[in-house]
CSV table of all heavy atoms in Angstrom, one decimal:
chain,number,residue,atom,x,y,z
A,351,LEU,N,-2.7,-21.0,14.9
A,351,LEU,CA,-3.0,-20.7,13.5
A,351,LEU,C,-2.3,-21.7,12.5
A,351,LEU,O,-2.9,-22.1,11.5
A,351,LEU,CB,-2.4,-19.3,13.2
A,351,LEU,CG,-2.5,-18.8,11.7
A,351,LEU,CD1,-4.0,-18.7,11.3
A,351,LEU,CD2,-1.9,-17.4,11.6
A,352,GLU,N,-1.1,-22.1,12.8
A,352,GLU,CA,-0.4,-23.1,12.0
A,352,GLU,C,-1.2,-24.4,11.9
A,352,GLU,O,-1.3,-25.0,10.9
A,352,GLU,CB,1.0,-23.3,12.5
A,352,GLU,CG,2.0,-22.1,12.3
A,352,GLU,CD,3.3,-22.3,12.9
A,352,GLU,OE1,3.5,-23.4,13.6
A,352,GLU,OE2,4.2,-21.4,12.9
A,353,LYS,N,-1.7,-24.8,13.1
A,353,LYS,CA,-2.4,-26.1,13.2
A,353,LYS,C,-3.7,-25.9,12.4
A,353,LYS,O,-4.2,-26.9,11.7
A,353,LYS,CB,-2.8,-26.4,14.6
A,353,LYS,CG,-1.6,-26.9,15.4
A,353,LYS,CD,-1.2,-28.3,15.2
A,353,LYS,CE,-0.2,-28.8,16.1
A,353,LYS,NZ,0.2,-30.2,15.9
A,354,LEU,N,-4.4,-24.8,12.5
A,354,LEU,CA,-5.6,-24.5,11.7
A,354,LEU,C,-5.4,-24.6,10.2
A,354,LEU,O,-6.1,-25.2,9.5
A,354,LEU,CB,-6.2,-23.2,12.1
A,354,LEU,CG,-7.5,-22.8,11.4
A,354,LEU,CD1,-8.6,-23.7,11.7
A,354,LEU,CD2,-7.8,-21.3,11.8
A,355,LEU,N,-4.3,-24.0,9.8
A,355,LEU,CA,-4.0,-24.0,8.3
A,355,LEU,C,-3.7,-25.4,7.8
A,355,LEU,O,-4.0,-25.8,6.7
A,355,LEU,CB,-2.8,-23.1,8.0
A,355,LEU,CG,-3.0,-21.6,8.3
A,355,LEU,CD1,-1.7,-20.8,7.9
A,355,LEU,CD2,-4.2,-21.1,7.5
A,356,GLU,N,-3.1,-26.2,8.7
A,356,GLU,CA,-2.9,-27.6,8.3
A,356,GLU,C,-4.2,-28.4,8.1
A,356,GLU,O,-4.2,-29.4,7.4
A,356,GLU,CB,-2.0,-28.3,9.4
A,356,GLU,CG,-0.6,-27.8,9.5
A,356,GLU,CD,0.2,-28.4,10.7
A,356,GLU,OE1,-0.4,-29.3,11.3
A,356,GLU,OE2,1.3,-28.0,10.9
A,357,LEU,N,-5.3,-28.0,8.8
A,357,LEU,CA,-6.5,-28.7,8.7
A,357,LEU,C,-7.3,-28.4,7.5
A,357,LEU,O,-8.3,-29.1,7.1
A,357,LEU,CB,-7.4,-28.4,10.0
A,357,LEU,CG,-6.9,-28.9,11.3
A,357,LEU,CD1,-7.8,-28.4,12.4
A,357,LEU,CD2,-6.8,-30.4,11.3
A,358,VAL,N,-7.0,-27.2,6.9
A,358,VAL,CA,-7.8,-26.7,5.8
A,358,VAL,C,-7.0,-26.8,4.5
A,358,VAL,O,-5.9,-26.2,4.4
A,358,VAL,CB,-8.3,-25.3,6.0
A,358,VAL,CG1,-9.3,-24.9,4.9
A,358,VAL,CG2,-9.0,-25.2,7.4
A,359,GLU,N,-7.6,-27.3,3.4
A,359,GLU,CA,-7.0,-27.3,2.1
A,359,GLU,C,-7.3,-26.0,1.4
A,359,GLU,O,-8.5,-25.7,1.2
A,359,GLU,CB,-7.5,-28.5,1.3
A,359,GLU,CG,-6.7,-28.6,-0.1
A,359,GLU,CD,-7.1,-29.8,-0.9
A,359,GLU,OE1,-7.8,-30.7,-0.3
A,359,GLU,OE2,-6.8,-29.8,-2.1
A,360,VAL,N,-6.3,-25.2,1.2
A,360,VAL,CA,-6.5,-23.8,0.6
A,360,VAL,C,-5.8,-23.7,-0.7
A,360,VAL,O,-4.6,-23.5,-0.7
A,360,VAL,CB,-6.1,-22.8,1.6
A,360,VAL,CG1,-6.5,-21.4,1.1
A,360,VAL,CG2,-6.6,-23.0,3.0
A,361,PRO,N,-6.5,-23.7,-1.8
A,361,PRO,CA,-5.8,-23.4,-3.1
A,361,PRO,C,-5.5,-21.9,-3.2
A,361,PRO,O,-6.4,-21.1,-2.7
A,361,PRO,CB,-6.9,-23.9,-4.2
A,361,PRO,CG,-8.2,-23.9,-3.4
A,361,PRO,CD,-7.9,-24.1,-2.0
A,362,VAL,N,-4.4,-21.6,-3.8
A,362,VAL,CA,-4.0,-20.2,-3.8
A,362,VAL,C,-4.0,-19.7,-5.3
A,362,VAL,O,-3.3,-20.3,-6.1
A,362,VAL,CB,-2.6,-20.0,-3.2
A,362,VAL,CG1,-2.1,-18.5,-3.4
A,362,VAL,CG2,-2.6,-20.3,-1.7
A,363,PRO,N,-4.7,-18.6,-5.7
A,363,PRO,CA,-4.7,-18.1,-7.0
A,363,PRO,C,-3.2,-17.7,-7.4
A,363,PRO,O,-2.6,-16.9,-6.6
A,363,PRO,CB,-5.6,-16.9,-7.0
A,363,PRO,CG,-6.5,-17.2,-5.8
A,363,PRO,CD,-5.6,-17.9,-4.8
A,364,GLU,N,-2.8,-18.2,-8.5
A,364,GLU,CA,-1.4,-17.9,-8.9
A,364,GLU,C,-1.1,-16.4,-9.1
A,364,GLU,O,0.0,-15.9,-8.7
A,364,GLU,CB,-1.0,-18.7,-10.2
A,364,GLU,CG,0.5,-18.8,-10.5
A,364,GLU,CD,1.3,-19.4,-9.3
A,364,GLU,OE1,0.8,-20.3,-8.7
A,364,GLU,OE2,2.4,-18.9,-9.1
A,365,LYS,N,-2.0,-15.7,-9.8
A,365,LYS,CA,-1.7,-14.3,-10.0
A,365,LYS,C,-1.7,-13.5,-8.7
A,365,LYS,O,-0.9,-12.6,-8.5
A,365,LYS,CB,-2.8,-13.7,-11.0
A,365,LYS,CG,-2.5,-12.3,-11.3
A,365,LYS,CD,-3.5,-11.7,-12.3
A,365,LYS,CE,-3.0,-10.3,-12.8
A,365,LYS,NZ,-2.8,-9.4,-11.7
A,366,LEU,N,-2.6,-13.9,-7.8
A,366,LEU,CA,-2.7,-13.2,-6.5
A,366,LEU,C,-1.4,-13.5,-5.8
A,366,LEU,O,-0.8,-12.6,-5.1
A,366,LEU,CB,-3.9,-13.7,-5.7
A,366,LEU,CG,-4.0,-13.1,-4.3
A,366,LEU,CD1,-4.3,-11.6,-4.4
A,366,LEU,CD2,-5.2,-13.8,-3.6
A,367,LEU,N,-0.9,-14.7,-5.9
A,367,LEU,CA,0.4,-15.1,-5.2
A,367,LEU,C,1.5,-14.2,-5.7
A,367,LEU,O,2.4,-13.7,-5.0
A,367,LEU,CB,0.6,-16.6,-5.3
A,367,LEU,CG,2.0,-17.1,-4.8
A,367,LEU,CD1,2.1,-16.7,-3.3
A,367,LEU,CD2,2.1,-18.6,-5.0
A,368,GLU,N,1.6,-14.1,-7.1
A,368,GLU,CA,2.7,-13.4,-7.7
A,368,GLU,C,2.6,-11.9,-7.3
A,368,GLU,O,3.7,-11.3,-7.0
A,368,GLU,CB,2.7,-13.5,-9.2
A,368,GLU,CG,3.0,-14.9,-9.7
A,368,GLU,CD,4.3,-15.5,-9.2
A,368,GLU,OE1,5.3,-14.7,-9.2
A,368,GLU,OE2,4.3,-16.6,-8.7
A,369,ASP,N,1.4,-11.4,-7.3
A,369,ASP,CA,1.3,-10.0,-6.8
A,369,ASP,C,1.7,-9.8,-5.4
A,369,ASP,O,2.3,-8.8,-5.0
A,369,ASP,CB,-0.2,-9.5,-7.0
A,369,ASP,CG,-0.6,-9.4,-8.4
A,369,ASP,OD1,0.3,-9.3,-9.3
A,369,ASP,OD2,-1.8,-9.3,-8.7
A,370,GLU,N,1.3,-10.7,-4.5
A,370,GLU,CA,1.7,-10.7,-3.1
A,370,GLU,C,3.2,-10.7,-3.0
A,370,GLU,O,3.8,-10.0,-2.2
A,370,GLU,CB,1.1,-11.8,-2.4
A,370,GLU,CG,1.5,-11.9,-0.9
A,370,GLU,CD,0.7,-11.0,0.0
A,370,GLU,OE1,-0.1,-10.2,-0.5
A,370,GLU,OE2,1.0,-10.9,1.2
A,371,ILE,N,3.9,-11.6,-3.7
A,371,ILE,CA,5.4,-11.7,-3.6
A,371,ILE,C,6.0,-10.4,-4.1
A,371,ILE,O,6.9,-9.9,-3.4
A,371,ILE,CB,5.8,-12.9,-4.5
A,371,ILE,CG1,5.4,-14.3,-3.9
A,371,ILE,CG2,7.3,-12.9,-4.7
A,371,ILE,CD1,5.6,-15.5,-4.8
A,372,ASN,N,5.5,-9.9,-5.2
A,372,ASN,CA,6.1,-8.7,-5.7
A,372,ASN,C,5.9,-7.5,-4.8
A,372,ASN,O,6.8,-6.7,-4.6
A,372,ASN,CB,5.5,-8.3,-7.1
A,372,ASN,CG,5.9,-9.3,-8.2
A,372,ASN,OD1,7.0,-9.9,-8.1
A,372,ASN,ND2,5.1,-9.5,-9.2
A,373,THR,N,4.8,-7.5,-4.1
A,373,THR,CA,4.5,-6.4,-3.2
A,373,THR,C,5.4,-6.5,-2.0
A,373,THR,O,6.0,-5.5,-1.5
A,373,THR,CB,3.0,-6.4,-2.7
A,373,THR,OG1,2.2,-6.3,-3.8
A,373,THR,CG2,2.7,-5.3,-1.7
A,374,ARG,N,5.6,-7.7,-1.5
A,374,ARG,CA,6.5,-7.9,-0.3
A,374,ARG,C,8.0,-7.5,-0.7
A,374,ARG,O,8.7,-6.8,0.1
A,374,ARG,CB,6.5,-9.4,0.1
A,374,ARG,CG,5.2,-9.7,0.9
A,374,ARG,CD,5.1,-11.2,1.1
A,374,ARG,NE,3.9,-11.5,1.8
A,374,ARG,CZ,3.8,-11.8,3.1
A,374,ARG,NH1,4.8,-11.7,3.9
A,374,ARG,NH2,2.6,-12.0,3.7
Side-chain angles (χ1 to χ4, degrees):
L351 176 59
E352 289 173 2
K353 290 282 189 180
L354 177 64
L355 294 181
E356 291 174 5
L357 294 176
V358 187
E359 185 176 346
V360 186
V362 176
E364 192 58 37
K365 185 177 186 307
L366 180 63
L367 175 58
E368 293 306 316
D369 289 345
E370 175 80 1
I371 291 171
N372 291 335
T373 301
R374 286 171 181 259

